[in-house]
Amino acid sequence: MSSFRFSALDDKGQAREGVVDAVDIAAAVAQLHGRQWTPLDVQPAGQRIRGARGWSWRKSGGIRSEQLLAFTDQLATLLAAGQPIDRALAILQESASSEAMAALVAEVRDDVRGGTSLSDAMSRRGEAFPPLVQSLVKAGEAGGTLPHALRRLNEYLARSAGFRRGLVNAAIYPAILMGTVLLSIGFLLGYVVPQFAEMYANLQAELPWFSKVVLSLGMGVRQWWWVLFALMFASLLAANAWLKRPESRPVLDAWLLRRKALGPLLARIEAERWLRTLGTLLESGVPMMSALRISQGVFGNTVLAGSALRAGEAVRSGVRLSDALASEPRFPRLALQMMRVGEEAGELDTLLLKAADTLEQDIKRVLDRAMAALVPVVTVVMFVLIGAVVMSILVPLYDLTSVIG
């Protein structure tokens, strides 16, 4: 038996600290759950209870997210089939999809054969295995359920990757359509319109005012196209330089969240990712403060990341998570209510995952409606712009034909 220091919230939301005797951290967490307490942090006696600092787990310098997804899936399958962990890692090394992946798995296997736990071997290669992975694996090792923990991790990674692919796929067709519109307008103004402009100039034809505007614009595009490209390139460089400044990102993130239509959608996307990560960590037995610290890395919006950081500090001081987030106006209210119910019922991890599922479905509905409305709008705009250019060319030609006839 070992002693573990803990900080937790009791069933009334009051902060509690103390020491419990247990076989390992997982057993200590189970004892606290048995009291209907929510563990915030659990550490071996003699180690300081840690605070909640954020980090980013999405940047993996060693392997791609697809490789990590395949690695966790195959390792969980092999371990569930009864293979020893070193044998399973050797099999994964032989079937690795790249030399870099094979070398990484070989290093982990060598450490495991030397007596190091899998989670510690992963922690030595944090650029490839983010803390989220390390924490879930460590929780599985402590509870003797490593295959199950790896399967849960794989499901989380697969669902997160699928959600990101859905967002990207939803934006592909409108982006292609907008690109087609811009290229078509550019071709008409830069090549077709100047041909007619020169013809009408030679004929000294009297042109309607809108034809003069379009023809002048076309001549300007053909003559000064390089200036337009230079301005666009300079604008991109200036925007990139501005975004690299530390004080610029929060300004942009706050501006995006204030947009009437875009802001709530971005907040839901960020909240869904954070709730799913936090729920998965808590479900695996990771203490609350560690889970909050790890889950902060999933935020892409610095304003919402700051909100989560403040909530973590409030939880450390004894405030319930739902109460800490209640003052954050951009956090989805439905998710907040489900979180409060989970805290009162002692099933916070389950309700966090259900809230994430609800937000995911809501986001998909909003995106489907937006795409259903956006595609016709872009199509109509394309036809109107191209039609205006074509009419500005054909109307004078029709008038000339009528005069000659």
Side-chain angles (χ1 to χ4, degrees):
M1 299 285 286
S2 303
S3 296
F4 296 89
R5 294 186 59 83
F6 71 86
S7 63
L9 296 179
D10 62 17
D11 53 355
K12 296 181 179 179
Q14 299 297 317
R16 301 282 186 176
E17 291 188 0
V19 178
V20 295
D21 294 327
V23 176
D24 50 34
I25 290 181
V29 171
Q31 285 189 34
L32 297 175
H33 283 157
R35 302 179 191 178
Q36 299 298 316
W37 291 5
T38 301
L40 300 180
D41 207 357
V42 180
Q43 297 294 330
Q47 291 189 18
R48 184 173 59 89
I49 299 293
R50 294 170 292 181
R53 293 185 305 170
W55 56 275
S56 178
W57 63 272
R58 292 176 297 165
K59 296 181 179 179
S60 177
I63 56 177
R64 300 190 306 272
S65 58
E66 295 83 1
Q67 291 176 313
L68 181 60
L69 181 62
F71 173 79
T72 55
D73 179 37
Q74 295 164 6
L75 184 58
T77 301
L78 291 171
L79 293 180
Q83 291 291 328
I85 189 169
D86 61 334
R87 173 59 179 158
L89 290 171
I91 294 173
L92 293 181
Q93 179 196 358
E94 295 173 1
S95 61
S97 58
S98 66
E99 293 183 2
M101 186 65 186
L104 178 65
V105 176
E107 292 175 1
V108 174
R109 180 206 60 197
D110 292 342
D111 283 357
V112 170
R113 286 179 175 175
T116 304
S117 65
L118 179 61
S119 59
D120 289 340
M122 288 179 169
S123 66
R124 296 176 182 177
R125 297 157 186 87
E127 75 284 351
F129 300 105
L132 172 70
V133 176
Q134 300 170 27
S135 296
L136 291 179
V137 170
K138 189 170 185 177
E141 291 173 335
T145 58
L146 182 56
H148 180 65
L150 286 170
R151 181 58 61 195
R152 184 184 293 122
L153 171 62
N154 179 259
E155 291 173 355
Y156 166 82
L157 294 174
R159 188 148 191 170
S160 298
F163 184 65
R164 288 195 298 271
R165 282 196 301 270
L167 294 178
V168 172
N169 292 338
I172 287 178
Y173 182 69
I176 293 176
L177 197 58
M178 289 296 296
T180 303
V181 171
L182 294 177
L183 289 176
S184 301
I185 296 299
F187 174 76
L188 287 174
L189 291 178
Y191 180 76
V192 177
V193 170
Q195 305 293 328
F196 284 88
E198 293 176 352
M199 182 187 71
Y200 292 143
N202 292 332
L203 293 175
Q204 297 182 349
E206 184 65 28
L207 303 176
W209 67 269
F210 66 89
S211 296
K212 293 180 180 179
V213 172
V214 173
L215 294 176
S216 299
L217 184 60
M219 293 298 294
V221 169
R222 188 174 73 168
Q223 184 176 0
W224 301 103
W225 63 268
W226 58 274
V227 175
L228 297 176
F229 276 104
L231 288 175
M232 287 190 293
F233 184 70
S235 299
L236 291 175
L237 289 179
N240 184 59
W242 183 79
L243 288 174
K244 287 183 177 179
R245 298 168 56 188
E247 65 272 15
S248 299
R249 183 65 183 276
V251 174
L252 176 62
D253 289 341
W255 181 84
L256 290 174
L257 289 175
R258 287 195 300 269
R259 299 308 94 194
K260 185 175 181 180
L262 183 61
L265 178 60
L266 291 178
R268 290 175 196 169
I269 292 173
E270 294 280 345
E272 185 276 339
R273 192 162 49 204
W274 180 65
L275 290 171
R276 190 173 302 284
T277 304
L278 183 60
T280 301
L281 289 165
L282 294 177
E283 186 184 39
S284 300
V286 178
M288 174 67 86
M289 291 309 301
S290 297
L292 285 172
R293 182 177 62 254
I294 293 169
S295 61
Q296 286 169 11
V298 306
F299 282 106
N301 188 289
T302 56
V303 175
L304 295 176
S307 298
L309 181 60
R310 290 190 296 272
E313 295 298 332
V315 169
R316 167 163 290 284
S317 65
V319 179
R320 292 195 304 183
L321 181 59
S322 59
D323 294 334
L325 289 170
S327 60
E328 301 295 339
R330 297 181 180 88
F331 195 83
R333 298 296 100 180
L334 176 60
L336 191 62
Q337 294 298 327
M338 296 180 71
M339 184 185 300
R340 182 171 289 113
V341 171
E343 290 172 331
E344 294 173 352
E347 297 181 357
L348 179 59
D349 52 351
T350 302
L351 269 296
L352 287 176
L353 293 174
K354 289 185 180 296
D357 291 339
T358 301
L359 285 177
E360 181 180 356
Q361 295 301 320
D362 188 31
I363 292 167
K364 288 181 179 179
R365 285 195 297 270
V366 171
L367 288 177
D368 289 342
R369 292 174 183 173
M371 293 303 104
L374 181 61
V375 171
V377 170
V378 173
T379 303
V380 170
V381 171
M382 178 179 66
F383 279 113
V384 169
L385 291 176
I386 294 177
V389 173
V390 172
M391 289 300 295
S392 66
I393 294 173
L394 294 183
V395 167
L397 186 62
Y398 176 77
D399 292 341
L400 288 174
T401 304
S402 300
V403 172
I404 295 174

